[in-house]
Amino acid sequence: LADPAAFLTETVDRGATLAVCTGGSQGAWAISRTEGRCQVGAVAVAQVVDTNGAGDAFVAGLLAARLDGRPLAECLSWASATGALCVQSVELVSPRISRETVRDLAKRCVTTRSG
């Protein structure tokens, strides 16, 4: 997308409660009707092995954190961490994935929030 922020704003304005856009190595953006705007940087990885499944992994991390009741910024960090684990593996699901691994990796994300 040329302008993720405009797309996300329009999506929420049309009734969505949460809109998320990924940008690969550029990170991800989200707008929540109740939590405002948030941006997270991608978790840096030493080597990208395969990007297959990274989007699905991102969504799985986001949903797992959301279902745990975590705030939006933390949800995006978990999503970024889960995607980073995925791209470092030839498997669609990283053999290293666990709640603890994702939580620890998510702490490396830089997040920006705005009302």
Side-chain angles (χ1 to χ4, degrees):
L1 294 171
D3 188 355
F7 171 78
L8 295 172
T9 300
E10 181 180 333
T11 301
V12 171
D13 287 348
R14 288 184 170 182
T17 56
L18 174 65
V20 180
C21 183
T22 63
S25 64
Q26 300 302 306
W29 305 265
I31 297 178
S32 164
R33 187 174 297 281
T34 58
E35 297 178 76
R37 298 173 184 269
C38 185
Q39 180 177 354
V40 65
V43 173
V45 299
Q47 180 181 7
V48 174
V49 175
D50 189 349
T51 60
N52 283 320
D56 293 335
F58 180 96
V59 171
L62 180 80
L63 289 175
R66 210 60 179 161
L67 291 171
D68 280 351
R70 298 177 188 279
L72 180 59
E74 195 171 345
C75 292
L76 277 185
S77 294
W78 273 54
S80 183
T82 308
L85 286 169
C86 180
V87 301
Q88 296 178 80
S89 173
V90 295
E91 305 294 330
L92 288 177
V93 176
S94 171
R96 295 180 37 219
I97 199 161
S98 69
R99 283 190 171 286
E100 294 76 24
T101 303
V102 171
R103 182 195 62 232
D104 293 345
L105 196 55
K107 291 176 183 175
R108 294 176 31 194
C109 289
V110 175
T111 57
T112 306
R113 290 192 42 88
S114 62

